[in-house]
Amino acid sequence: MCSLWFYPAQQEKRLLPVLAPYAFRSQHCPQLKFSKNLKQRLLDTNAAARLMAECYYVGVDVGTASVRAALVTRDGVLKSTAKEPISIWEPQSDHYVQSSTEIWEKCCAVVKRVTQGVDRNQVCGVGFDATCSLVVLDQSFQPVPVCQDGDRQRNVVMWMDHRAAEQAARITTAGHRALSRVGGVMSPEMQPPKLLWLKENLQESCWNKAAHFFDLPDFLSWKATGSLTRSLCTVVCKWMYCPPEGWDDSFWTSIGLEDLLENNYSKIGSVTCSPGSPLGGGLSQEAAADFGLNPGTAVGASLIDAHAGGLGVIGADVKGLNLPCEDQSITQRMAVICGTSSCHMAISEQPRFVPGVWGPHLSAMVPDMWLNEGGQSATGRLIDHMVKGHAAYAQLQEQAQQRCPFTGESIYSYLNSHLSSMATSSSSVDLLGSSLHLWPDFHGNRSPLADPTLKGMVVGLGFSQTLDDLALLYLATIQALALGTLHILEAMKEAGHDITTLFLCGGLSKNSLFVQIHANATGLPVVLPDQVEAVLIGAAILGACASQDFSSIQEAMERMAKVGRVVQPDDKLQSFYQRKNKVFLRLFAHQREYQALMNDG
């Protein structure tokens, strides 16, 4: 506990250098007080001191299969990164679970590594992002099992867990007015159907023992600070919260979860704030010891991982790049965060309702602006599935290893080169996909059809199973994912969005062919970030905002998010992709037709 400090005005001048380091903490510690005008002078002095010494922010990203951290400068430069794998269990089909205990331990490990050798006084803020998975804890904040086997350490229902598909369909059929904010359809990847599944299937072992349900990003910020405040990003996007009104009692009652209303929604959060807002008193004593940082280090309210990627790219300064969005509102940009799955983020100054697309969500990514979020449930995961399941995969691995025997070569880099060698000198690689077509919803459609029952389709297969065939199937998969982005883009444009430029980040943004085909299929320029780990930049921006080194998230984005290069579409392929898109949409129409035919009996 801080002492109660008062200083007469005549002592202020000589005390400024001494007290400046405590100025930030005074904002979160009511016992620390100063005489009139001294507080602001201390803050100004502290800010000036930070400008003279390097200041760092730590961004922590919990993805599907790993935890990563980065040490980031005020100008958005990654000084160091670290990564640790995390376990995924699949106790039964469509059930995917993790351990919050393991995830936190890995967070501590990566933060310690990226800050090793750095003066802890120079680490000014910490930000977290994570997948929108569901964490369950009891009254003592201990893990509660979410599986039939009763393993308490397996207390996280992952974002991609589709066990609650039937509950999601029931919620959709009920048709509550709140569904207008999620495209009219409840997804099994959101939290209400998962909560309902736990109540209906694990009432004794889980539901009755649960006292705290967290979105994983909020669990991390609670572990770091002890604050139960939820980020608007998580509760608005995944829990049906609607600012400024708040929770809708009638929604929870209508779906059979009226017990969540008890004690002012204490189990799912009664206090919220915008992403990047400072939480509690910063790092708690325990978390600071775990991280090797100072207690009180600022911690920003968290983001879902895809939204952190959006924050890390969408606000970058594009002056001088001759892009259509230059000197235009940020609302002309779409951020596509593409990894295991993909999210398509567009923001607007007024709410826009897009069928099959989540939102509009107020302050869910950028404070005081509305977010629409489309997405694909499987992108990187689908590419891996198609390539690694092919008969020629072993040959592909061997060929890639032979070409780079010492360092090895990514199988996808090799496939990109192989496709280039298959194309004639006068034609584009894209044209090799003329007779092989794919519908990519192997794990259901998130947007804009919002149908988790859809399946994948491939048209144009033959008996041959050569490396060439594998390369063509890989190409067709990438083209289908790009046309899926176009499908989402057109739905958003029809609802009033004026999107002229794509901003890509995430693991797949490192794949040159994936990026170029996205530009070609959509006809829009694609901007890639200067720092490949844009999600980590986004998480660090949260810490920077919480430290109050920037006046707003918008200012921090412009300063810390930077453009690496721009990929322009090949206009000569416009007609080809118009035709291929017609085939793409007919694949969906045919699947619906086949379903109807089989249901007639």
Side-chain angles (χ1 to χ4, degrees), residues 83-302:
K83 180 178 179 179
E84 286 283 341
I86 48 178
S87 304
I88 300 173
W89 294 278
E90 188 180 2
Q92 59 193 90
S93 178
D94 273 343
H95 290 224
Y96 296 94
V97 298
Q98 292 181 312
S99 165
S100 66
T101 301
E102 180 194 31
I103 288 170
W104 180 251
E105 290 172 350
K106 295 300 179 70
C107 287
C108 297
V110 293
V111 171
K112 281 184 175 178
R113 280 162 54 191
V114 298
T115 57
Q116 188 174 11
V118 175
D119 183 347
R120 62 176 61 187
N121 292 313
Q122 292 180 276
V123 179
C124 303
V126 179
F128 295 94
D129 74 77
T131 62
C132 50
S133 300
L134 175 66
V135 182
V136 187
L137 304 178
D138 65 16
Q139 189 66 44
S140 301
F141 294 96
Q142 297 303 306
V144 176
V146 295
C147 304
Q148 301 282 2
D149 61 17
D151 186 338
R152 291 187 61 182
Q153 289 307 311
R154 301 182 184 185
N155 68 316
V156 180
V157 183
M158 291 186 67
W159 66 269
M160 62 184 185
D161 186 304
H162 277 202
R163 71 178 72 181
E166 190 269 331
Q167 284 77 12
R170 263 193 279 143
I171 294 172
T172 297
T173 301
H176 192 276
R177 62 179 181 272
L179 294 178
S180 66
R181 300 192 298 274
V182 290
V185 179
M186 177 58 65
S187 167
E189 295 178 14
M190 290 186 173
Q191 308 303 7
K194 291 177 179 176
L195 292 167
L196 186 57
W197 188 95
L198 293 175
K199 181 177 181 179
E200 293 178 345
N201 293 273
L202 297 177
Q203 185 160 27
E204 291 299 323
S205 61
C206 177
W207 187 257
N208 291 345
K209 296 178 180 179
H212 303 280
F213 296 104
F214 288 99
D215 217 89
L216 182 54
D218 289 325
F219 165 81
L220 297 174
S221 61
W222 165 75
K223 283 289 288 185
T225 65
S227 172
L228 291 172
T229 298
R230 265 56 166 193
S231 169
L232 282 173
C233 177
T234 58
V235 294
V236 168
C237 293
K238 304 302 176 185
W239 297 73
M240 307 301 289
Y241 187 88
C242 184
E245 294 86 358
W247 297 113
D248 188 329
D249 295 356
S250 65
F251 169 74
W252 296 104
T253 301
S254 72
I255 67 172
L257 292 178
E258 61 280 352
D259 33 348
L260 292 179
L261 278 61
E262 296 174 1
N263 299 317
N264 191 27
Y265 290 95
S266 62
K267 289 186 178 182
I268 59 176
S270 57
V271 181
T272 63
C273 67
S274 296
S277 301
L279 293 175
L283 282 181
S284 66
Q285 291 281 352
E286 182 179 359
D290 288 341
F291 284 175
L293 297 176
N294 288 330
T297 301
V299 176
S302 60

